[in-house]
């Protein structure tokens, strides 16, 4: 048949909706599938018999291989599975494709459960064209790094089994997988020591440079068309101080040193400012043009002076000494009689207030010292007397996030007030509200998101704030503008958690598509993508140094990232399943604290060992017993495993990075925060 006539017939069938006839005509006339890809010869078997036999043969060979090569060779099974399944569907084998899918999907459910859920209904060629995940895989090559020896052995085996299915697998690798081979000595991840260490691990995780860029798992490079190693240079240094502010702060510190000279062996406030706090313009940091902020006022001077005092007088955490972690103090605030109505918590940075977002659509604020909360508005005779709590009513749906504006405690009554002035809240009603903590009234309602807003946070200097929503976007706002300044859209699923970089030049978004994306505030572009989580990302936090990022998921794993090269540093495990809901860094960026659904607060050594294979098996928290970094428990009872005793509850692996753990009775931990003096406050609701 004339090719032009064939094209016209195909176009007619497409318009009329005869999709199956269209697909068959495409295959018969041009020996192509519905996407125009050349079909493989079918002499070696049809449908599931061809791909199923080839996949099973490859899997069995990998399972019987040397232990040091198994972990990296297993990584190639997922792309082979996906592309084999999509080939079957495109070749019009609906029954065979579903049989292949159901036979082998179980081995990938832990890591790729979401992709499997989306791909499973695909059974016809037109489904491939309309399925978002299928289009991502068919439109891009899957990136995978293997050691030269492992890849050579795989190809040698497949060539030797060419007639038994090896040719099918080789064809899939050539057409759909971009395999990068490296020598052992050129990359520490594929060194002999690293491979021997991974051989004994019970869990397998993707490399940070594996997958399709822009889709999990993937690399820190967010451009799907970019090559390896192409990363935007970041400015991770501190934001320089305003010159006038710097001069005013220095003058105030000099006066304070004269009034209260430092103790013997203690540095003066001016010295502390010059050595640790003073922020001058440098090539490593952004400039104030890139991150415009309002002019400083007297309150800003008072806050900076107090920051210097607290930085000098803080409890210093130097890291582990002799294998023993530093003794971190944790204050836990437990909320009773909530009837599972608390959705979120936040503590003010001056440690005087705590706010809770409620399922019943209101916000409740308590004073932590029990003192009455006074309003600046005049009190009418009919108003009840001030109490230690306030209700803020205005939202039309459950409140999912609250955030206090930056503040700091200041005992000097003559100085300007440095307490929190505002509170932000987000809700299922798609709105964000700004509340005054002077008048305890709603000042502004910010609208822009199309679905519930899951998370929000203030920027480190106030003024800006960030929101994440069910509409798959994050938005940057300025408190003095009713509309958002930036829309960050790249995630495939909800944006569940957000945070700022300490210099305000970047923001981070975590999603249930298992990725974390780093965005530039000045351009609105994504500059890094961090993938490697096997669960939904539930919390992110950037270190005060600005160089590292911590992200946590709902399967109990915390991952540390090096922002510059976009590399995964290590994984830390210890929490039970259900979600790690809050992360916070110590001032020195050497210690991390986490809290979550398992009812424990855990302290982690950031610079500690990264060998996850040496973790101890410890029972999940909830017994009310402190666990130290060596896996030992306090005298009051067992943490789950003691000698020959019985295990209590489900066991979890605790990696050696854990310094200590503080289980609660039955209180999931909603919020943890390091204060500027390196003490930890935590909050949760008792759920009997």
């Amino acid at each position: 048949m004339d090719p032009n006539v064939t094209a016209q017939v195909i176009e007619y069938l497409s318009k009329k909706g005869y999709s199956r006839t269209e697909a068959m005509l495409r295959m018969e006339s041009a020996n192509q599938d519905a996407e125009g890809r050349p079909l493989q010869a079918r002499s070696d078997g049809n449908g599931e018999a061809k791909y199923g036999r080839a996949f099973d043969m490859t899997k069995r060979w990998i399972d019987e291989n040397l232990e040091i090569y198994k972990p990296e060779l297993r990584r190639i099974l997922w792309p082979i599975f996906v592309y084999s399944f999509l080939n079957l569907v495109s070749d019009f084998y609906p029954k065979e494709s579903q049989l292949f899918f159901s036979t082998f999907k179980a081995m990938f459910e832990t890591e790729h459960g979401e992709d499997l859920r989306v791909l499973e209904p695909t059974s016809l060629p037109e489904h491939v064209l309309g399925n978002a995940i299928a289009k991502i895989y068919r439109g891009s090559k899957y990136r995978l790094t293997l050691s030269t020896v492992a890849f050579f052995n795989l190809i040698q085996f497949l060539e030797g089994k060419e007639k038994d299915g090896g040719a099918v697998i080789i064809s899939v690798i050539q057409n759909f997988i971009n395999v990068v081979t490296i020598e052992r000595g050129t990359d520490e991840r594929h060194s002999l020591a690293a491979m021997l260490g991974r051989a004994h691990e019970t869990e397998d995780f993707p490399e940070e440079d594996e997958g399709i860029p822009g889709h999990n798992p993937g690399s820190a490079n967010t451009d799907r068309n970019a090559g390896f190693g192409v990363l935007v240079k970041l400015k991770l240094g501190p934001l320089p101080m305003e010159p006038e502010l710097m001069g005013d702060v220095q003058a105030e510190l000099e006066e304070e040193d004269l009034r209260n000279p430092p103790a013997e062996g203690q540095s003066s406030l001016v010295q502390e400012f010059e050595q640790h706090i003073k922020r001058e313009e440098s090539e490593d940091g952004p400039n104030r043009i890139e991150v415009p902020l309002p002019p400083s006022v007297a309150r800003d001077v008072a806050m900076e002076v107090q920051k210097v005092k607290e930085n000098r007088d803080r409890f210093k955490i130097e890291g582990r000494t002799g294998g023993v972690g530093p003794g971190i103090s944790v204050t836990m605030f437990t909320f009773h009689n909530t009837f599972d109505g608390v959705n979120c918590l936040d503590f003010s940075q001056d440690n005087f207030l705590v706010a809770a977002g409620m399922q019943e659509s209101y916000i409740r604020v308590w004073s932590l010292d029990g003192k009455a909360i006074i309003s600046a508005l005049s009190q009418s005779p009919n108003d009840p007397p001030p109490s230690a709590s306030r209700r803020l009513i205005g939202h039309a749906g459950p409140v999912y996030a609250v955030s206090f504006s930056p503040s700091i405690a200041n005992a000097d009554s003559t100085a300007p007030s440095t307490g929190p002035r505002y509170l932000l809240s987000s809700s299922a009603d798609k709105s964000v509200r700004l509340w005054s903590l002077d008048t305890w009234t709603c000042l502004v309602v910010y609208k822009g998101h199309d679905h519930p807003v899951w998370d929000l946070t203030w920027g480190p200097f106030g003024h800006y704030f960030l929101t994440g929503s069910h509409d798959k976007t994050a938005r940057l706002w300025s408190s003095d503008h009713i509309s958002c300044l930036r829309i960050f859209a790249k995630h495939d699923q909800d944006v569940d958690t957000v945070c700022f970089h300490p210099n305000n030049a970047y923001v981070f978004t975590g999603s249930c598509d298992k990725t974390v994306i780093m965005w530039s505030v000045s351009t609105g572009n994504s500059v890094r993508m961090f993938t490697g989580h096997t669960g939904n990302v539930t919390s992110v936090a950037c270190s005060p140094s600005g160089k590292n990022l911590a992200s946590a998921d709902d399967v109990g794993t915390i991952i540390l990232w090096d922002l510059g090269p976009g590399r995964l540093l290590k994984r830390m495990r210890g929490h039970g399943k259900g979600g790690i809901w809050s992360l916070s860094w110590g001032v020195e960026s050497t210690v991390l604290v986490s809290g979550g659904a398992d009812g424990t607060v855990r302290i982690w050594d950031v610079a500690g060992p990264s060998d996850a294979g040496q973790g101890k098996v410890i029972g999940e928290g909830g017994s009310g017993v402190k666990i130290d970094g060596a896996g030992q428990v306090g005298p009051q009872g067992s943490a789950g495993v003691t000698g020959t005793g019985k295990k209590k509850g489900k066991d979890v692996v605790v990696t050696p990075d854990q310094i200590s753990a503080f289980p609660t009775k039955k209180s999931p931990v909603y919020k943890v925060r390091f204060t500027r003096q390196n003490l930890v406050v935590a909050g949760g609701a008792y759920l009997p």
Side-chain angles (χ1 to χ4, degrees), residues 310 314-315 317 328-329 331 347-351 544 584-588 593 672-682:
E310 291 194 357
R314 75 184 188 279
F315 169 66
I317 301 175
I328 309 295
S329 296
T331 300
F347 295 94
S348 63
Q349 294 176 8
D350 65 352
N351 304 313
S584 183
W585 291 80
V587 175
E588 295 86 355
V593 62
V672 292
R673 186 176 66 80
F674 262 108
T675 68
R676 291 190 179 91
Q677 292 185 310
N678 272 336
L679 305 176
V680 176
V681 291

Side-chain angles (χ1 to χ4, degrees), residues 346 454-458 466-468 474 491 494-502 506-519 528-533 535-544 548-554 557-561 563 579-585 592-595 670-673:
D346 191 37
W454 299 131
D455 194 25
L456 57 73
T457 185
W458 281 99
L466 183 66
T467 58
H491 284 289
D494 301 23
V495 177
D496 293 323
T497 180
V498 295
C499 77
F500 275 86
H501 189 276
Y506 303 98
V507 295
F508 302 89
T509 58
S511 169
C512 52
D513 66 6
K514 306 176 186 176
T515 66
V516 177
I517 298 181
M518 181 179 184
W519 309 81
R528 294 288 188 275
M529 173 172 280
F530 303 102
T531 57
H533 281 286
N536 303 325
V537 180
T538 52
S539 184
V540 290
C542 189
S543 65
N548 298 323
L549 177 75
S551 58
D553 58 34
D554 60 359
T557 300
I558 300 171
I559 300 182
L560 297 182
W561 309 90
L563 295 179
I580 299 172
W581 294 338
S582 184
L583 297 170
S584 183
W585 291 80
L592 185 76
V593 62
S594 62
Y670 297 158
K671 184 71 176 181
V672 292
R673 186 176 66 80

